Each structure stands twice: as C-alpha cells, then as structure tokens.
Amino acid sequence: MRKSYRIKKEAEFQQVFETRNSVANRQFVVYSMEKPDQLHFRVGISVGKKIGNAVHRNWVKRRIRQSLLELKPHLKQDVDFLVIARPRADGISMTDAKSSLIHVLKLAKLLDSNYSED
C-alpha cells in the first residue's frame, strides 16, 4: 500500500483516536473519522508490545496491510481510520486475520455493504 494511504504523523493519529468513534472485535479495534474533502482513505496501524516480540508485531502488521490492500476497492474513501491490534491478533492465520478485519470494518461501516468474502 502506497505511503499516501498511511497516517504517519502522531498528531494525525491522535486526531482520529480522539474522535472516540470506535468498534472492536476480539482481534482488532477500529477508530474512524470522516474526511469529506479527501480523495482516498488513509489508515494508521498500531500493534502494541502486548502482542509479543518485534517479529510477531511485524507479522501482524503485514497481515493487516495485505488484507487492506485486497479490500482497497471496497473501502470507504473519504475517511481516516486506525486499526489497532489486540493481543488475540497474534498467532492467527492470514485467512482468519482478514476475516476478522472484514468483520470489524463492516461494524465500523467502512466496507461496502454489498461486499462478500466469496
């Protein structure tokens, strides 16, 4: 995913976080903020130290990025959102990670309503 799709600055990350507009499941928490003048979505990914060592954290981040890349055409475009991994995100397969991310993105209404995993 190109860097223009990422929230990199701490101030921007905090701005989305402070909206308190969040949904969660067992593996992920998603915070979102509407940005009507934006051309495409931007995402921030956070994987805390409770997940495990650096290898495990990078593994989880790669799975999140890959899932978002595959879902890119179906995601709402005028929004900034954060994906925060919970400790249960460690050790799940790519398929389970994507399925869990789809679930939480649907709860946040960031994924097209007619999207199906088929």
Side-chain angles (χ1 to χ4, degrees), residues 33-44:
M33 181 175 79
E34 298 288 326
K35 297 280 277 243
D37 56 339
Q38 198 161 266
L39 296 175
H40 56 76
F41 69 87
R42 293 185 319 154
V43 62

Side-chain angles (χ1 to χ4, degrees), residues 28-102:
F28 302 107
V29 179
V30 171
Y31 287 84
S32 62
M33 181 175 79
E34 298 288 326
K35 297 280 277 243
D37 56 339
Q38 198 161 266
L39 296 175
H40 56 76
F41 69 87
R42 293 185 319 154
V43 62
I45 299 172
S46 176
V47 180
K49 292 189 177 186
K50 288 184 179 180
I51 298 295
N53 63 25
V55 173
H56 286 102
R57 291 192 302 272
N58 287 334
W59 182 85
V60 172
K61 284 184 221 175
R62 275 195 303 273
R63 277 155 178 71
I64 292 170
R65 276 193 221 105
Q66 181 60 37
S67 297
L68 291 173
L69 187 62
E70 292 172 14
L71 296 169
K72 187 173 157 182
H74 306 286
L75 287 166
K76 190 174 178 182
Q77 297 299 308
D78 58 348
V79 68
D80 281 355
F81 65 97
L82 308 174
V83 177
I84 300 172
R86 298 174 110 179
R88 286 195 161 192
D90 187 21
I92 61 175
S93 69
M94 178 61 197
T95 306
D96 292 339
K98 183 178 178 184
S99 178
S100 181
L101 198 56
I102 288 169

